[in-house]
Amino acid sequence: MAVTTIDLIQAPLADQFNRPITYLRISVTDKCNLRCVYCMPETGLQWLPKGEILTYEEIAELVRAAASAGVRSVRLSGGEPLIRRDLHRLVAAIDAIEGIDDISLSTNGLLLADQIEGLKAAGLRRVNVSLDTLRPERFEQIARRPGLDRVLAGIDAAIAHGLAPVKINVVVMRGQNGDEIADLAEWTKRQAVYVRFIEVMPVHENLGLQRDSYVSSDEILERVRAIGDLHPAIGPGGNGPARYFSFDGAPGAVGVISPLSHDYCERCNRVRLTADGRLRLCLFGDHEIDLRSPLRSGASTEDLVELLRSAMLIKPERHHLRLGETSSRMRAFSEIGG
Ligand code: SAM
Ligand code: SF4
């Protein structure tokens, strides 16, 4: 007899520290059409061979298992998710899975205006767009490729298609865009956008950059306060780790994200699926299990649910990373922008 999602929900997924796991972040590709200085080297990375990347059908099968164990929100990320062909097909497949009630996307926005209609029709609810500067030449320095106008067009298209709340993720780097904090925060006075400043984190590719560039969220907030009084604000929903503030009467809000702080860990409700089918239990560190091999050897939904449950035992209580350190798994950054 066929097993339905509802049959499988007995105890929702929770880790050893009683944190319910309801959020799955999926990297659909490791490739990207930008080369942001804080994320990857100019020459790119050693890309995964095609055969190692999960197909849309395989991803949907894993989401089905996750949904039957209590996962409710899915975020698609990368690399750059919009460079994977027909992403709307995956969105539609996930939207059809019982139990999933929120599908969102993290993108650099370059291809967003072209695809927004199909994505929205397929069931996409929300979008986070990364944008570190409002100056075209600076965009090219930070992203190492041009495209600011296309990203802004993507943000406008998302707003026009009602994909609210649109969150703008800004990685703050001293000497690169630290002097634009006020300009970016001003945006929230004009439009209902959530501008979220993220402390830059160390990765293999950017250790040199990070030591000089780190700006703490306290300093970020101080610079935002220079242009108006801030009040603590309710976030726009979603599962993000940001703390929000708004200016008097502003339609939008400013957020700060401190990935290295442990507040982030205490509220952790998420796990992450890599493009090649590994389930990562923490943004930092080596805690992961392989789901692709069992999936390709014919594991049933029930088997996959059992694997997800067993993975909960290795989800750490917190990361142990401090500023200036890196771990062997630091490329897990797509976790941040959620
Ligand atoms: N390509 C998409 C994008 O840029 O939004 C999705 C993947 S990207 C890796 C996800 C998020 O991680 C982005 O908001 C990006 O700014 C952030 N990120 C990447 N490397 C980071 C770092 N070293 N420190 C802080 N945030 C980082
Ligand atoms: Fe690409 Fe996003 Fe990394 Fe920038 S942050 S290089 S857009 S994956």
Side-chain angles (χ1 to χ4, degrees):
M1 191 178 70
V3 180
T4 71
T5 304
I6 296 300
D7 292 331
L8 287 172
I9 301 178
Q10 288 149 3
L13 277 188
D15 70 3
Q16 304 181 74
F17 310 100
N18 290 323
R19 292 175 297 194
I21 304 302
T22 55
Y23 182 98
L24 175 64
R25 186 161 182 121
I26 301 172
S27 177
V28 298
T29 176
D30 56 334
K31 296 200 182 77
C32 190
N33 46 1
L34 293 180
R35 294 286 183 275
C36 302
V37 289
Y38 47 76
C39 181
M40 53 173 86
E42 191 155 13
T43 47
L45 300 163
Q46 181 87 45
W47 309 122
L48 292 164
K50 195 164 178 235
E52 292 188 14
I53 305 248
L54 295 183
T55 63
Y56 287 164
E57 290 69 25
E58 288 171 331
I59 293 174
E61 182 53 33
L62 289 174
V63 173
R64 200 164 296 118
S68 62
V71 165
R72 295 289 164 261
S73 299
V74 169
R75 174 170 293 276
L76 303 177
S77 183
E80 173 47 40
L82 295 183
I83 63 174
R84 185 143 176 199
R85 190 186 296 258
D86 296 336
L87 191 71
H88 62 91
R89 279 208 303 116
L90 178 63
V91 172
I94 294 175
D95 190 50
I97 294 172
E98 189 183 352
I100 298 297
D101 47 40
D102 182 35
I103 310 174
S104 56
L105 174 75
S106 283
T107 172
N108 62 28
L110 279 183
L111 302 173
L112 189 57
D114 302 340
Q115 297 188 31
I116 193 83
E117 213 161 303
L119 290 167
K120 165 116 197 215
L124 186 72
R125 292 272 192 91
R126 298 183 294 121
V127 65
N128 288 5
V129 182
S130 295
L131 177 60
D132 304 318
T133 175
L134 296 169
R135 304 184 196 174
E137 63 298 341
R138 222 178 231 192
F139 182 96
E140 202 161 335
Q141 276 161 22
I142 296 174
R144 300 201 188 97
R145 308 240 168 121
L148 176 63
D149 49 346
R150 289 164 68 198
V151 179
L152 292 173
I155 293 170
D156 285 344
I159 293 172
H161 282 79
L163 260 78
V166 174
K167 298 181 194 163
I168 316 289
N169 287 336
V170 182
V171 176
V172 181
M173 294 164 289
R174 200 182 302 286
Q176 304 243 11
N177 62 350
D179 56 350
E180 278 188 82
I181 292 172
D183 288 349
L184 286 155
E186 280 282 350
W187 195 347
T188 68
K189 294 181 178 174
R190 300 186 299 273
Q191 253 182 325
V193 290
Y194 290 76
V195 175
R196 306 168 353 134
F197 295 103
I198 304 175
E199 293 174 351
V200 69
M201 301 201 287
V203 294
H204 286 312
E205 289 79 13
N206 76 8
L207 273 179
L209 167 84
Q210 176 273 331
R211 278 193 199 96
D212 308 320
S213 317
Y214 178 79
V215 182
S216 71
S217 38
D218 288 346
E219 184 178 338
I220 293 169
L221 281 175
E222 204 175 296
R223 296 207 201 167
V224 177
R225 282 198 180 96
I227 58 161
D229 288 340
L230 282 184
H231 312 286
I234 308 278
N239 302 279
R243 287 180 292 138
Y244 288 98
F245 304 86
S246 60
F247 297 110
D248 272 340
V254 172
V256 282
I257 302 181
S258 320
L260 297 183
S261 93
H262 285 142
D263 299 354
Y264 190 84
C265 301
E266 278 154 25
R267 291 176 288 134
C268 187
N269 62 347
R270 55 190 59 199
V271 291
R272 176 169 179 267
L273 182 65
T274 65
D276 57 351
R278 284 167 292 140
L279 187 78
R280 287 219 174 126
L281 284 304
C282 181
L283 171 55
F284 307 105
D286 295 329
H287 316 83
E288 66 178 34
I289 65 162
D290 169 31
L291 291 176
R292 189 186 64 201
S293 308
L295 188 62
R296 291 191 177 170
S297 320
S300 65
T301 308
E302 296 93 316
D303 298 336
L304 294 170
V305 169
E306 275 320 305
L307 281 170
L308 293 174
R309 289 198 195 289
S310 62
M312 292 299 111
L313 298 173
I314 58 164
K315 183 165 170 63
E317 185 172 16
R318 56 187 57 221
H319 66 73
H320 294 284
L321 199 82
R322 287 191 301 272
L323 193 62
E325 294 176 352
T326 190
S327 83
S328 59
R329 295 288 185 212
M330 287 300 293
R331 281 193 54 216
F333 274 109
S334 54
E335 184 81 17
I336 312 162

